[in-house]
Amino acid sequence: MLQQQIRQDLKKIKEYFHYYEMIKRAVRNNTVIQMEQLVKKYIQMVKNAPKRLSDVFYGLYVGDKTQKKLSQEWNVTEKYIQILNKRLIVWLEQAITQEQKQ
């Protein structure tokens, strides 16, 4: 269940950066504030992630790249990016679980 939520959150983050300029021009409302808080939360968490997982986060979600595009830029297979993305989600799940325990 948590992995599904993480996937949804990452999709929202990707959409946020995709529409970043439009959002900045939009009237500030609770949705924008909530998205900014969600983005800050994940960026803060990813600072503690292994470098390759952090790179995947920034490439796919902040950089708004597809797995195919990122794999081409890194000169790796798309499957490798998929594996790293799955590892990122698992790592985030562990980080969130650990945070909730504290």
Side-chain angles (χ1 to χ4, degrees), residues 9 16 18 34-35 41-42 47 50 53 71 75 80-81:
D9 289 346
Y16 173 80
H18 182 77
Q34 289 172 354
M35 278 308 306
K41 173 185 171 184
Y42 275 80
K47 286 181 180 179
L53 300 184
S71 70
N75 198 27
Y80 180 63
I81 298 298

Side-chain angles (χ1 to χ4, degrees), residues 55-87:
D55 291 344
V56 167
F57 173 80
Y58 281 99
L60 292 177
Y61 301 103
V62 177
D64 189 30
K65 294 180 180 136
T66 63
Q67 291 179 353
K68 183 176 183 175
K69 177 68 175 168
L70 190 60
S71 70
Q72 291 169 346
E73 286 182 11
W74 288 8
N75 198 27
V76 297
T77 65
E78 193 172 343
K79 182 68 176 171
Y80 180 63
I81 298 298
Q82 291 170 357
I83 290 167
L84 288 176
N85 190 47
K86 172 67 175 171
R87 288 180 184 169

